[in-house]
Amino acid sequence: AAVYTGPNQAAPPSADSEDGRRTIGGRKRYTGRKINIDIKDGDIHNVLRLLAKEGNVNIVTSDEVAGNVTVHLKLVPWDQALDIILRVKELDYVREGDIIRVAPQADLARERQERLRAAEIQERLKPLEVKLVTVNHAVASDLLPRVRGVLSARGTANFDDRTNTVIVKDIVEHLEAAEDIVRRLDVQLPQVL
């Protein structure tokens, strides 16, 4: 197996998305230094070590990462080479600070699902609070559809006609969003003289 590296042409990638990959319009944008790589039946661990060295990053692999790979790429950003090699082996990565963790796609998808479930459980455990938001210029009942749009599944919004007040019950984060909506929409309309 032979490996060649090309000239320095770009800086290491910067993180824009949750997993550290830069995207534009849903497509990944690669910013790593361009390299040439030619490997036949190379151990995936050695190939990942080479890419870590070329990208000046830390890569950690799970125990399930195994196998050989044959690669011939010319003037390809190292981060694109990493993406392609991982896809071929049905692997994926997650950027955790300065470390790229490589594992099978199914394992990482399961971890993401578990994190989402844990976040949902945490949200269900948060206490509900009540906030009264006085409306000065608009009609409180007219604002309810928009206020309900920012509430969680547990949240409720009502109004008191007599005091022109919106009554919101939800967790703190959603209460703040609901109050912000009311404040922004509660403006005095220009008067005609």
Side-chain angles (χ1 to χ4, degrees):
V3 177
Y4 323 97
T5 57
N8 277 340
Q9 294 196 1
S14 60
D16 278 2
S17 64
E18 178 183 311
D19 64 359
R21 298 174 210 195
R22 188 178 284 266
T23 58
I24 295 177
R27 291 183 44 197
K28 295 176 187 170
R29 188 174 117 201
Y30 302 101
T31 58
R33 182 169 76 94
K34 292 190 176 186
I35 62 171
N36 295 321
I37 184 170
D38 186 11
I39 298 175
K40 182 177 181 192
D41 291 328
D43 180 59
I44 189 73
H45 292 281
N46 291 333
V47 173
L48 291 175
R49 282 182 40 218
L50 168 75
L51 291 173
K53 199 173 185 183
E54 289 300 321
N56 197 23
V57 295
N58 302 306
I59 294 181
V60 176
T61 61
S62 73
D63 292 339
E64 293 80 21
V65 175
N68 293 333
V69 65
T70 298
V71 181
H72 179 78
L73 301 169
K74 286 187 176 186
L75 292 175
V76 175
W78 73 266
D79 47 345
Q80 184 177 15
L82 174 67
D83 251 3
I84 290 170
I85 291 168
L86 294 180
R87 264 190 280 153
V88 165
K89 299 302 285 179
E90 294 183 359
L91 301 170
D92 203 356
Y93 72 87
V94 176
R95 190 178 286 269
E96 297 175 357
D98 292 338
I99 299 172
I100 294 175
R101 186 168 57 91
V102 175
Q105 291 173 346
D107 291 354
L108 293 178
R110 188 172 39 256
E111 285 179 17
R112 286 184 195 108
Q113 288 298 327
E114 288 171 4
R115 277 196 306 271
L116 286 173
R117 267 194 297 264
E120 289 171 6
I121 290 170
Q122 283 291 80
E123 188 166 312
R124 278 190 251 136
L125 294 175
K126 288 182 180 178
L128 295 178
E129 296 184 18
V130 175
K131 184 157 210 138
L132 303 174
V133 185
T134 304
V135 180
N136 296 317
H137 305 289
V139 178
S141 61
D142 294 345
L143 300 178
L144 282 187
R146 291 192 177 98
V147 170
R148 288 183 177 134
V150 297
L151 298 180
S152 71
R154 296 169 55 202
T156 59
N158 294 305
F159 68 96
D160 178 48
D161 220 4
R162 191 175 55 81
T163 59
N164 204 31
T165 301
V166 176
I167 304 163
V168 186
K169 183 177 182 180
D170 208 340
I171 60 174
V172 173
E173 295 86 357
H174 293 275
L175 284 179
E176 292 169 357
E179 183 178 18
D180 185 53
I181 289 273
V182 171
R183 296 286 175 237
R184 289 175 186 263
L185 296 176
D186 185 27
V187 293
Q188 188 172 9
L189 296 175
Q191 303 272 331
V192 177
L193 295 175

